[in-house]
Amino acid sequence: TGAPEGTSVVVAGLFYNTPARRKFQKTVATELAHIYDMVERLALAHREISFVLTYQGKERFRTYGNGSFEDVIAAVFGQTFARELVPVAGTYGIVKVAGFVSRPGCEMKSTPSRFYLSINRRQVTSRPLQWAVREGYGTLLPKGMYPAAFLDLEINPSDVDVNVHPTKKEVRLSRERDVQTGVQDAVYRALHETRVFAAAAGQEIPE
């Protein structure tokens, strides 16, 4: 429902009359992880909005709503993590790409646990686009590993079907291969136009 700017919404007692649903809750740690993931994805997709996440009176993270992609990543994952990312930007074919990926060898995981993708400001999951990001690394990516990626894609809405998943987490792209190619090219160019490897102590990186 519409509300004036500055309105606060408080939700409490979610399970006071639904014990059956409460019975199927997982551990506190598991449920908190789901909540963190949801709020993180919302904050990354809507950087113009300030998000504050608290638990038991302690602030877990706060974003500032200044529109900065890098500031949101730093607020959620820490400044040290944010400094290890490489910016990705540009228009490649039918897709405009903006965001960050991790430097080769840094923040690599055996699962795509830090793959955050939004299409036209909607957070989604997409195995084909995960593949495209990994292909953009080529031989810079260790076998079986996934980089961190925070990417916004802008695509003609007529090429995106958002009604293929009950929670709209997945989308169908009518020109999926073209989008994959664009994402792959964007990541490849970002990694090859940036000094992605740190020099050894006392060693200069050649121009």
Side-chain angles (χ1 to χ4, degrees):
T1 184
E5 289 188 10
T7 297
S8 295
V9 178
V10 178
V11 181
L14 282 174
F15 307 109
Y16 79 97
N17 66 348
T18 50
R21 179 65 185 91
R22 189 175 193 175
K23 183 175 64 176
F24 291 105
Q25 293 290 289
K26 305 298 184 183
T27 65
V28 171
T30 298
E31 297 301 334
L32 281 175
H34 292 321
I35 293 169
Y36 290 165
D37 182 69
M38 177 178 290
V39 180
E40 288 165 4
R41 290 181 183 279
L42 287 170
L44 288 162
H46 300 281
R47 299 177 294 279
E48 74 286 358
I49 299 173
S50 175
F51 288 81
V52 182
L53 180 60
T54 62
Y55 174 62
Q56 293 187 336
K58 294 183 179 180
E59 185 175 299
R60 302 297 167 152
F61 72 79
R62 175 188 297 267
T63 65
Y64 298 97
N66 61 6
S68 168
F69 213 150
E70 193 168 13
D71 284 356
V72 174
I73 295 171
V76 175
F77 297 103
Q79 291 282 357
T80 301
F81 175 85
R83 284 196 292 268
E84 295 298 332
L85 300 177
V86 177
V88 180
T91 300
Y92 298 84
I94 67 168
V95 58
K96 182 178 181 181
V97 185
F100 295 87
V101 294
S102 53
R103 295 176 184 275
C106 296
E107 301 298 336
M108 298 293 171
K109 304 286 185 181
S110 58
T111 62
S113 58
R114 287 192 173 174
F115 188 93
Y116 295 83
L117 172 70
S118 63
I119 296 178
N120 297 342
R121 308 305 295 276
R122 178 193 297 273
Q123 276 287 329
V124 298
T125 60
S126 171
R127 289 185 181 275
L129 295 182
Q130 288 176 7
W131 174 87
V133 170
R134 297 182 78 233
E135 285 296 298
Y137 278 79
T139 58
L140 299 178
L141 187 67
K143 185 178 180 179
M145 302 300 285
Y146 290 84
F150 306 84
L151 298 176
D152 270 347
L153 309 184
E154 289 186 23
I155 306 170
N156 188 324
S158 65
D159 291 329
V160 184
D161 182 357
V162 301
N163 295 311
V164 297
H165 190 276
T167 63
K168 301 187 186 298
K169 282 186 177 181
E170 299 175 13
V171 296
R172 179 181 292 115
L173 303 174
S174 61
R175 300 175 64 183
E176 183 175 82
R177 185 57 193 164
D178 291 337
V179 176
Q180 284 181 287
T181 299
V183 170
Q184 180 178 336
D185 289 349
V187 172
Y188 178 89
R189 182 165 297 184
L191 294 173
H192 287 78
E193 290 184 350
T194 305
R195 290 177 171 179
V196 295
F197 294 105
Q203 178 184 352
E204 293 187 0
I205 301 177
E207 296 291 343

